[in-house]
Amino acid sequence: MVGIAGKSKACLDCKRRRVKCDLTAPLCLRCAKAGIQCRGYEKPIIWVNRTPAQRDITALSVITHARVPRGACASRWLDLLDQIRYQLSGAAYDTAQFRARALILLQGIYLPQPHVMEDSVDPTPFSWPKAVCGMAASSEALDHALLAFCAIQVRLSGETGISNDETVQLYNTALGKVIRDVGRNNDETLAAIVVLSTFVCVLNRPKLECTCPRDIRASATPRRTSVAVTELEKPVIQALARRCSLSLAPNRWRELIGPTQSPDSFPRLLDIVTEVPAIMQEAHMFLSDDLATEDTRAPQYMYTDVLVQSFHKLHDWRQCYQRRVSSGPFSWSVLSRLENPADDAYPDKLFPFSLKFRSITDAVTWVFCSTIMLQILETILRLDASGALLPTILLAADSTRCEHMVTPIRVYADDLARRLCQSLEFCFGIENGTFGPQGTCSTQWALRNYFRRRGLHRELEWCENIKDMKGPASRCGIDLMRLGLDS
């Protein structure tokens, strides 16, 4: 039978919504433009044909025989990558169609699953793909950046049909076009910078970088705000790793992003952290000064006080965010399912339990905020290695009560570092796409530095072996770029 008269060939989601499907394979563009995770097309009917010679044939045996070969899913994304690569090589191409296909690929590999990208008042750490792919103006820089980013995600998904060198070559081509277009200072240029900045985090090559130009126009538009929120996260991570201030002053970033909608929003968190890199830079310059003596206790007090204030702002934001998103526990402990090679030499796991969150949004938001808090505490500990000047910190005991507790900084920092280690397993869950592991790049770097400074050798060994962890339903084996120099 060739087909059934009158039966729709539309994808499952277009049928459900009763709209005309464009029948694009492997997933339709109409769903991508609507921000819907397309579930593909109806499965073909499999006939079970018993004959005298084959009396024992069952539906299960036929399905098993016809099962999609291992790696076919990855090949589907490689095919889609080849489509957009070929499309971009043409002299003239449909910009909207190209970006819609790129969005389909990112929905399938990079973004958490299942994922319906709905418009949100407050941008999230992974809301940029829809904002970027939804831009209408033509831009070779943006489209080449998208191609490079899609290629590295296909590579990270386990597909061997594209090499690491190919992805680097695509990155270099896109970077050249971005450099050429920086003077244009438009939304598409900013978007291309966001894409390439995100690309860099998954290459273990510290020399590759792409940061926001100093002369970028500081004016907020709705789409630019969504993209700029993600763009700010990358310079903050890079600035903290290099112990230097941001290339753009905090006030310029605030003009670019626009007013924050609520005190517990992700843009508000970024508004707080814009001040941190400059403070950290001054503190580390003081620490590296060979002339620092007992006569420098006043500056030590000053830096410590400012850092404690920044810490409290971040802690208060985190508590406010947790109360908003969850009336019950924000995170809870479950038995760890991942095996870290560093545990092989010991009778017990270092972290037998891992932290589970309601969603990857909550997880990466908590991890990002907590990582900066840990870096602040690590700097305070370095400012007064003897402990003579160390203050205690006044913290809310939990997210549901107004009680407070006084905790020594060293004790709180050790506990926070271990909780960050326990949060990584959730981020590496296969349902969180390739985004989950990539969101832990700065956290792994901060943890290595902290445990090295504290002399906690087993914890440091555990962090060094994160890329070699194994376990069910996880996306391990991604060797993330090392930010700056571990010290």
Side-chain angles (χ1 to χ4, degrees):
M1 181 180 294
V2 176
I4 300 175
K7 186 172 182 179
S8 172
K9 297 179 181 179
C11 74
L12 298 174
D13 290 280
C14 285
K15 283 182 180 179
R16 175 179 57 82
R17 296 186 295 136
R18 297 180 182 274
V19 296
K20 186 176 180 181
C21 180
D22 63 12
L23 304 178
T24 303
L27 304 172
C28 92
L29 300 181
R30 182 153 195 164
C31 286
K33 292 177 182 178
I36 294 173
Q37 179 64 47
C38 182
R39 292 175 295 168
Y41 300 88
E42 189 172 347
K43 304 288 189 300
I45 297 174
I46 297 177
W47 296 96
V48 179
N49 184 26
R50 290 192 181 94
T51 65
Q54 294 178 310
R55 298 178 182 275
D56 298 329
I57 284 183
T58 63
L60 180 60
S61 65
V62 174
I63 293 172
T64 301
H65 181 73
R67 185 171 292 163
V68 178
R70 185 180 181 87
C73 182
S75 298
R76 179 180 66 173
W77 300 123
L78 183 61
D79 290 343
L80 185 55
L81 177 65
D82 289 340
Q83 289 178 31
I84 63 177
R85 197 174 185 175
Y86 176 77
Q87 187 177 3
L88 191 58
S89 66
Y93 62 93
D94 187 324
T95 300
Q97 186 183 66
F98 172 87
R99 293 176 189 172
R101 283 178 171 164
L103 181 59
I104 287 175
L105 192 148
L106 295 180
Q107 284 178 318
I109 300 177
Y110 175 68
L111 294 173
Q113 304 294 329
H115 186 68
V116 178
M117 293 188 295
E118 300 172 345
D119 292 326
S120 174
V121 175
D122 296 329
T124 66
F126 52 84
S127 61
W128 66 266
K130 184 179 181 182
V132 167
C133 295
M135 290 179 170
S138 61
S139 169
E140 279 195 352
L142 174 56
D143 292 338
H144 278 272
L146 281 171
L147 174 62
F149 190 75
C150 287
I152 193 65
Q153 301 311 316
V154 171
R155 173 71 179 168
L156 292 177
S157 72
E159 174 58 60
T160 57
I162 182 168
S163 69
N164 202 57
D165 288 342
E166 284 182 89
T167 62
V168 173
Q169 184 178 0
L170 291 173
Y171 169 88
N172 289 332
T173 300
L175 181 59
K177 294 183 180 295
V178 169
I179 292 173
R180 183 197 65 190
D181 286 358
V182 162
R184 296 185 181 181
N185 214 358
N186 53 29
D187 287 357
E188 286 69 32
T189 301
L190 175 63
I193 293 171
V194 167
V195 177
L196 292 188
S197 297
T198 309
F199 178 102
V200 166
C201 289
V202 295
L203 282 183
N204 204 0
R205 301 184 178 209
K207 291 184 179 180
L208 289 177
E209 62 180 75
C210 188
T211 56
C212 187
R214 291 176 179 271
D215 61 344
I216 197 163
R217 185 185 71 229
S219 59
T221 64
R223 193 176 297 278
R224 172 171 282 217
T225 295
S226 181
V227 175
V229 163
T230 302
E231 172 55 24
L232 176 54
E233 185 182 358
K234 306 300 182 300
V236 165
I237 291 171
Q238 292 178 3
L240 290 172
R242 295 171 184 164
R243 301 184 177 98
C244 63
S245 58
L246 291 170
S247 57
L248 287 181
N251 287 338
R252 293 273 285 169
W253 275 113
R254 292 186 181 106
E255 291 175 11
L256 183 64
I257 293 176
T260 56
Q261 287 78 15
S262 58
D264 51 15
S265 65
F266 190 70
R268 172 56 185 157
L269 170 60
L270 294 179
D271 184 61
I272 295 172
V273 302
T274 53
E275 306 284 353
V276 176
I279 300 170
M280 298 278 277
Q281 180 186 26
E282 291 187 23
H284 282 282
M285 287 177 64
F286 172 80
L287 286 167
S288 63
D289 187 357
D290 295 335
L291 300 178
T293 64
E294 291 186 1
D295 296 333
T296 61
R297 282 197 171 188
Q300 278 179 283
Y301 273 122
M302 179 184 69
Y303 292 130
T304 299
D305 287 345
V306 174
L307 287 169
V308 168
Q309 290 175 22
S310 297
F311 173 87
H312 276 291
K313 288 180 182 178
L314 291 169
H315 177 269
D316 292 345
W317 179 90
R318 197 179 66 177
Q319 294 292 99
C320 188
Y321 176 81
Q322 291 178 194
R323 284 193 296 267
R324 175 174 68 86
V325 301
S326 177
S327 57
F330 181 76
S331 62
W332 56 97
S333 296
V334 297
L335 283 173
S336 174
R337 302 172 68 193
L338 293 186
E339 300 293 335
N340 189 310
D343 288 327
D344 293 345
Y346 300 90
D348 300 310
K349 278 187 173 184
L350 178 61
F351 301 110
F353 295 94
S354 65
L355 289 181
K356 189 173 180 63
F357 298 82
R358 293 185 318 112
S359 69
I360 187 61
T361 303
D362 291 349
V364 297
T365 302
W366 184 89
V367 166
F368 176 65
C369 181
S370 299
T371 298
I372 298 175
M373 291 167 66
L374 179 65
Q375 290 175 270
I376 290 175
L377 295 181
E378 191 260 346
T379 303
I380 294 173
L381 291 171
R382 288 187 63 192
L383 282 166
D384 187 21
S386 67
L389 304 176
L390 279 179
T392 52
I393 47 181
L394 187 66
L395 301 170
D398 57 44
S399 61
T400 59
R401 296 182 297 175
C402 296
E403 299 176 7
H404 290 76
M405 62 182 179
V406 176
T407 305
I409 285 181
R410 189 172 282 112
V411 173
Y412 186 90
D414 284 350
D415 178 67
L416 182 60
R418 290 187 171 93
R419 290 173 65 199
L420 280 168
C421 289
Q422 291 176 303
S423 70
L424 296 182
E425 181 167 331
F426 180 85
C427 296
F428 275 75
I430 197 167
E431 70 278 4
N432 294 322
T434 55
F435 167 82
Q438 292 171 54
T440 69
C441 183
S442 63
T443 303
Q444 293 187 41
W445 172 81
L447 287 169
R448 288 193 301 270
N449 276 339
Y450 180 78
F451 290 135
R452 184 177 291 109
R453 291 275 181 194
R454 291 282 288 116
L456 300 172
H457 301 295
R458 186 178 177 188
E459 285 81 354
L460 176 59
E461 184 185 8
W462 191 91
C463 289
E464 293 284 3
N465 284 275
I466 287 173
K467 64 181 177 64
D468 297 318
M469 292 192 303
K470 295 180 180 179
S474 64
R475 199 178 288 275
C476 299
I478 297 179
D479 193 7
L480 297 174
M481 184 185 76
R482 291 196 172 220
L483 298 172
L485 296 173
D486 288 2
S487 59

